[in-house]
Amino acid sequence: MKESRYFYVPDAVNQTELPMEEALHALRVLRLQSGDEMFLMDGKGTFYRAEVTIAATKRCMYKIKETLPQEKSWRGYIHLVIAPTKMMDRIEWMAEKATEIGFDEISFLNCKFSERKAMRIVRLDKIIVSAVKQSRKPWKPILTPMVSFKDFINQPRTGHKFITHCYPEIYRKDLFTELQQLNDDEPVTILIGPEGDFSLDEVLQAEEKGYQSVTLGKSRLRTETAGMMAVCMAQLSLHK
Amino acid sequence: MKESRYFYVPDAVNQTELPMEEALHALRVLRLQSGDEMFLMDGKGTFYRAEVTIAATKRCMYKIKETLPQEKSWRGYIHLVIAPTKMMDRIEWMAEKATEIGFDEISFLNCKFSERKAMRIVRLDKIIVSAVKQSRKPWKPILTPMVSFKDFINQPRTGHKFITHCYPEIYRKDLFTELQQLNDDEPVTILIGPEGDFSLDEVLQAEEKGYQSVTLGKSRLRTETAGMMAVCMAQLSLHK
């Protein structure tokens, strides 16, 4: 039973009540009652052991009993930057899987060959929250709305920056080999293009801004698979 | 246009006609005509360059112009053995992603804590064929129907055998570290349990049969994510 008693409460320490959706789950599905134990996750690195103080029809009040700061299980900061697929469900499952595997931020790009030029991130945020709870991740990945490719690469950004693409005429290193050689705590930013890849011009612009051209290996991967594979590679290279 | 002119024809060299479904795609979607070039994949390591000889309403005859034997891009034989999830769509996407990333065989287990005790593999086979074509894999992964856990581990099996599980009381090595140390061409078999994990008894039985207990890392992964992560790890370790 205890297994599912984890609730996402972004500002848990300053609140005394579960957000509505969490409260409904606590009361109607788990049937928690006054005096029951539960765990709160603030998505910013801390879990809290709490006790239900009042369980009303739609409201669930709590009192924090213990603060449980968590430790991050990987070095650096894994930032996936991807052009969303035409079909949103493909990006949704990727976001779910990347959250389970472990990463820090996802941003979306509007590229020259993007098939999807706009997206709503509310649903995606819910999917990420659900995966955070299910996989007990102390940090909720940050979700950044879509910007144009140009705007993104022009943002000042420190750390290791990579752009994956399929142009054989441009020298590309192997991403996994590069990631395995990193031994600092600097952020890692990985750009993944749309179904039709980045344009050659976009790749050259990124290189000018300090992004290294890389390949994900010999396999021909769909956009969402590439995104997930990049997160796997980063996680396998940077985990403590 | 050429991009999508790949067709799966299991016995291509002994046939002269595309299977019905492939023919409909060739004729109605791609509108191929007599004299057009196309590529056939036999799923057993060979591509063929062929020419359409007759394009009728529902039938597409061909003549092979060139035999293109492919090389395998990873060592050994990656065999994923998994208890299917309650929701089939989760296993379906995993099979699609594992095919893109690259593996050799998927088998299904009926375990003590399995939520799904039966499954149809026809639809799953179609998803795999589609991913094989999309990612241009020369070898189609083999799909083996479900057997009981006991029957599976009692089958004679050579090579490196691993069982993933979440029992902290049983010593577990790190799967990725183990895979990276392999330097032979022996098959690799990885067992992934159901949502409720293997039973302790199942783990002990597997160990008796030579399976090594392993962990996929610190993350709490869903069954299908664990399966995909295992394939990623094997691919990153065994690729040529």
Side-chain angles (χ1 to χ4, degrees):
Chain A
M1 266 298 97
K2 262 191 192 174
E3 270 298 290
S4 38
R5 287 188 186 179
Y6 276 74
F7 301 95
Y8 176 59
V9 190
D11 194 25
V13 76
N14 294 314
Q15 302 295 321
T16 52
E17 180 176 357
L18 292 186
M20 173 74 89
E21 258 184 67
E22 298 292 71
L24 292 179
H25 184 71
L27 301 167
R28 298 192 179 169
V29 182
L30 303 174
R31 301 192 174 276
L32 296 194
Q33 299 188 328
S34 150
D36 281 347
E37 186 181 78
M38 61 183 182
F39 290 88
L40 313 180
M41 316 167 80
D42 70 355
K44 296 174 200 78
T46 308
F47 292 166
Y48 300 92
R49 187 167 63 77
E51 190 184 292
V52 178
T53 51
I54 301 173
T57 319
K58 291 182 177 184
R59 302 183 62 174
C60 182
M61 313 294 286
Y62 64 79
K63 194 176 166 182
I64 288 175
K65 293 293 201 177
E66 193 181 358
T67 300
L68 306 159
Q70 304 293 303
E71 222 174 294
K72 224 179 139 190
S73 64
W74 62 91
R75 289 185 288 124
Y77 186 90
I78 305 174
H79 187 179
L80 178 69
V81 186
I82 190 165
T85 49
K86 194 172 170 190
M87 306 295 285
M88 270 306 285
D89 61 341
R90 294 188 167 266
I91 282 294
E92 285 170 2
W93 85 242
M94 193 218 63
E96 177 183 300
K97 295 314 158 200
T99 303
E100 283 179 54
I101 294 162
F103 75 135
D104 297 281
E105 183 171 353
I106 183 164
S107 303
F108 295 99
L109 291 179
N110 184 351
C111 301
K112 188 170 175 198
F113 300 142
S114 283
E115 296 214 45
R116 170 175 290 274
K117 298 286 185 184
M119 60 185 287
R120 288 168 51 220
I121 61 172
V122 177
R123 192 180 136 97
L124 201 57
D125 194 60
K126 281 190 185 170
I127 288 168
I128 289 178
V129 166
S130 168
V132 160
K133 288 199 286 182
Q134 200 274 333
S135 66
R136 307 282 155 77
K137 286 284 181 290
W139 280 265
K140 175 183 168 291
I142 292 169
L143 184 55
T144 320
M146 194 188 281
V147 295
S148 75
F149 180 83
K150 200 168 180 178
D151 284 352
F152 188 87
I153 60 163
N154 280 319
Q155 290 166 10
R157 198 168 298 283
T158 59
H160 309 284
K161 304 186 286 184
F162 301 100
I163 181 166
T164 63
H165 62 80
C166 301
Y167 294 99
E169 62 267 40
I170 298 182
Y171 176 70
R172 294 167 296 165
K173 293 180 177 171
D174 179 67
L175 177 63
F176 190 52
T177 309
E178 294 303 304
L179 291 172
Q180 288 199 294
Q181 285 164 1
L182 302 182
N183 49 17
D184 53 35
D185 278 333
E186 291 295 303
V188 171
T189 305
I190 307 170
L191 272 48
I192 309 278
E195 277 98 336
D197 205 348
F198 291 114
S199 73
L200 191 54
D201 195 45
E202 283 170 337
V203 173
L204 297 175
Q205 283 175 43
E207 287 198 335
E208 260 179 43
K209 296 288 177 184
Y211 287 81
Q212 297 181 62
S213 281
V214 287
T215 158
L216 290 163
K218 286 179 190 164
S219 279
R220 214 181 118 95
L221 303 173
R222 282 175 178 274
T223 291
E224 75 278 8
T225 319
M228 196 206 54
M229 195 75 185
V231 170
C232 279
M233 287 177 176
Q235 184 57 237
L236 289 171
S237 306
L238 303 173
H239 75 93
K240 287 180 185 168
Chain B
M1 263 300 92
K2 261 190 190 175
E3 270 298 290
S4 37
R5 289 188 184 177
Y6 277 74
F7 301 95
Y8 176 60
V9 189
D11 195 22
V13 76
N14 294 315
Q15 302 294 319
T16 52
E17 182 177 355
L18 292 186
M20 173 75 88
E21 258 183 70
E22 298 292 70
L24 292 178
H25 184 68
L27 301 167
R28 299 194 179 168
V29 182
L30 304 175
R31 301 192 174 278
L32 295 194
Q33 300 186 327
S34 153
D36 282 346
E37 186 182 79
M38 61 183 183
F39 290 89
L40 313 180
M41 316 167 79
D42 71 354
K44 295 175 199 80
T46 309
F47 291 166
Y48 301 91
R49 187 167 63 78
E51 189 184 292
V52 178
T53 50
I54 301 174
T57 320
K58 290 183 178 183
R59 300 181 65 174
C60 182
M61 313 294 286
Y62 63 80
K63 193 176 165 184
I64 288 176
K65 294 292 202 178
E66 193 180 358
T67 299
L68 306 159
Q70 304 293 303
E71 222 175 293
K72 223 179 140 189
S73 63
W74 61 90
R75 289 184 288 125
Y77 186 90
I78 305 174
H79 186 179
L80 178 68
V81 186
I82 191 165
T85 49
K86 195 174 170 187
M87 306 296 284
M88 268 307 283
D89 61 341
R90 294 187 167 268
I91 281 296
E92 285 170 2
W93 85 243
M94 192 217 64
E96 177 184 299
K97 296 313 157 201
T99 303
E100 285 179 54
I101 294 163
F103 75 135
D104 298 281
E105 183 172 353
I106 184 165
S107 303
F108 295 99
L109 292 178
N110 184 352
C111 302
K112 188 172 175 197
F113 299 143
S114 284
E115 295 213 46
R116 169 175 290 274
K117 298 285 186 186
M119 61 186 287
R120 288 169 50 219
I121 61 172
V122 178
R123 189 179 139 96
L124 202 57
D125 194 58
K126 281 189 186 173
I127 287 167
I128 289 177
V129 166
S130 169
V132 160
K133 286 198 287 180
Q134 200 274 332
S135 67
R136 308 280 156 78
K137 287 282 181 291
W139 280 265
K140 176 182 167 291
I142 293 168
L143 184 55
T144 322
M146 193 187 280
V147 295
S148 74
F149 179 85
K150 200 168 179 178
D151 284 352
F152 187 89
I153 60 163
N154 280 321
Q155 289 166 8
R157 199 167 297 281
T158 58
H160 310 284
K161 304 186 287 185
F162 301 101
I163 181 167
T164 62
H165 62 81
C166 301
Y167 294 98
E169 62 267 40
I170 297 182
Y171 175 70
R172 292 167 297 164
K173 292 180 179 172
D174 178 66
L175 177 62
F176 190 52
T177 309
E178 294 303 305
L179 291 172
Q180 289 198 293
Q181 286 165 359
L182 302 182
N183 49 15
D184 54 34
D185 278 333
E186 292 294 302
V188 171
T189 305
I190 306 170
L191 271 50
I192 309 277
E195 276 99 333
D197 206 350
F198 290 114
S199 72
L200 190 54
D201 195 45
E202 284 169 337
V203 173
L204 297 175
Q205 284 174 42
E207 287 198 334
E208 261 179 43
K209 296 290 176 183
Y211 287 82
Q212 296 181 62
S213 281
V214 287
T215 158
L216 290 163
K218 285 177 188 165
S219 280
R220 214 180 117 96
L221 304 173
R222 284 176 178 273
T223 291
E224 74 279 8
T225 319
M228 196 206 54
M229 194 76 186
V231 170
C232 280
M233 288 177 176
Q235 184 56 237
L236 289 172
S237 305
L238 303 173
H239 75 93
K240 285 180 186 168

